[in-house]
Amino acid sequence: MINKQSNVYTIVYITVLVIVVGAALAFTSMSLKDRQNENAQADKKSQILQSVHISTTRATVIADFEKYITKQLVVNTKGEEISGVEAFGIDVAAEAKKPADQRQLPVYVCQLPDAGTKYILPLAGMGLWGPIWGYVSFDDDGSTIYGAFFDHQGETPGLGAEITKPAFTDQFPGRQLFKNGNFYPIEVVKKGQKPLNPDVDFVDGISGGTITSKGVGSMFDNCLQPYRAWLETLAAAHVSGADGNAQPLTADDKTTFSRQLTAEDVVTAEPGEKVSAAATIAE
């Protein structure tokens, strides 16, 4: 007869119980892995769509994503498209920790029936208690924010977690990255204060959520700076009315001319006479 009071019985019983329970949990996890991945992808697609003000449901999110997201691409810090890389599969949090020139930068192109083409860029950073992330959408001028979505892993309810609420996210539409030819990612400042540089667009931070608010500001700076060349390409295409193939603006492209040529600028030459083509336009 087995002595249930012995140490051997206790050890054997616990060992068998751990093995049985562990095997059951492992089997359950493996069985649900595909569904978990599907749910994670659906949630990510929903967040991307929310950055362009599209609310969706679990039942329709995949169809809505395929309807509105017409193109996905990956670029580098030079604004060049990287071929053979899937934008949706990139771990943005991991990329954000790399040097800027080594990053793969996803871009989601969204076509809205009433608002035209929008470009959605992902963000990733750190809050007070853990990771924070988001998606920010831009108009086709490459500068003006159309919408923003933020989420977090474990920020404090009523404090840092308020970055998910409309009171915070609704401040971003209309803010611009390019001012007077310079690139300034949006700053998040304490309510009632302003950035030292008057050209920088800003939003008010969360009351009582200072560290999380600073995390959002750092996330904008760290994640949007590498997109500068690509956003300049977008801006150039917008100005020229091109189809998106324009090259990034150079110093020569940014020269402002003060007047147009007039009849007085035309030089008439006799046959065989040499005439210099150089002229000062902005005199």
Side-chain angles (χ1 to χ4, degrees):
M1 186 175 180
I2 300 176
N3 182 7
K4 295 183 178 180
Q5 301 302 320
S6 68
N7 291 336
V8 174
Y9 176 83
T10 302
I11 294 173
V12 171
Y13 179 83
I14 292 175
T15 302
V16 172
L17 184 62
V18 169
I19 293 174
V20 171
V21 173
L25 291 175
F27 176 78
T28 302
S29 177
M30 292 178 63
S31 300
L32 297 176
K33 186 175 182 179
D34 290 342
R35 182 174 297 181
Q36 291 172 343
N37 289 337
E38 289 176 2
N39 289 338
Q41 291 184 8
D43 188 48
K44 182 176 179 178
K45 291 177 179 179
S46 175
Q47 294 177 10
I48 292 172
L49 291 175
Q50 287 182 66
S51 72
V52 287
H53 313 297
I54 295 177
S55 298
T56 187
T57 66
R58 179 65 181 86
T60 63
V61 62
I62 295 177
D64 288 339
F65 188 83
E66 293 177 351
K67 174 182 178 181
Y68 294 108
I69 304 301
T70 57
K71 184 179 180 181
Q72 300 180 39
L73 60 147
V74 180
V75 300
N76 59 24
T77 54
K78 296 179 181 179
E80 303 165 337
E81 186 172 348
I82 303 173
S83 60
V85 182
E86 181 187 8
F88 195 82
I90 290 178
D91 185 343
V92 177
E95 294 295 316
K97 297 176 182 178
K98 297 179 181 179
D101 60 357
Q102 296 179 17
R103 298 185 196 177
Q104 296 178 329
L105 309 169
V107 179
Y108 300 93
V109 184
C110 178
Q111 190 67 41
L112 300 175
D114 300 324
T117 304
K118 308 300 175 187
Y119 298 87
I120 305 169
L121 309 182
L123 312 172
M126 289 295 296
L128 175 60
W129 301 113
I132 58 176
W133 62 91
Y135 297 91
V136 58
S137 60
F138 291 88
D139 290 338
D140 60 1
D141 63 0
S143 176
T144 307
I145 294 179
Y146 179 73
F149 169 89
F150 303 106
D151 208 345
H152 63 92
Q153 182 171 297
E155 300 306 294
T156 307
L159 298 176
E162 295 296 298
I163 63 172
T164 66
K165 302 297 179 62
F168 182 68
T169 59
D170 286 353
Q171 298 181 79
F172 287 86
R175 301 293 193 270
Q176 295 189 342
L177 300 186
F178 289 98
K179 290 289 189 70
N180 298 324
N182 296 309
F183 183 77
Y184 304 112
I186 309 302
E187 289 193 15
V188 182
V189 300
K190 187 175 181 180
K191 190 172 183 179
Q193 297 183 354
K194 294 182 179 180
L196 296 178
N197 187 337
D199 285 340
V200 178
D201 267 355
F202 66 96
V203 300
D204 292 333
I206 303 296
S207 298
T210 302
I211 295 179
T212 306
S213 297
K214 289 182 177 179
V216 174
S218 297
M219 182 169 66
F220 263 79
D221 185 55
N222 180 46
C223 293
L224 292 185
Q225 284 283 2
Y227 283 99
R228 176 173 180 171
W230 182 81
L231 289 169
E232 287 181 336
T233 299
L234 200 63
H238 175 77
V239 171
S240 65
D243 60 1
N245 294 320
Q247 296 300 313
L249 293 175
T250 65
D252 292 336
D253 297 323
K254 297 174 182 176
T255 302
T256 302
F257 298 102
S258 62
R259 66 180 177 86
Q260 295 180 335
L261 291 174
T262 67
E264 296 178 355
D265 298 304
V266 178
V267 178
T268 304
E270 296 295 332
E273 181 183 357
K274 295 182 178 179
V275 178
S276 174
T280 299
I281 303 298
E283 56 185 10

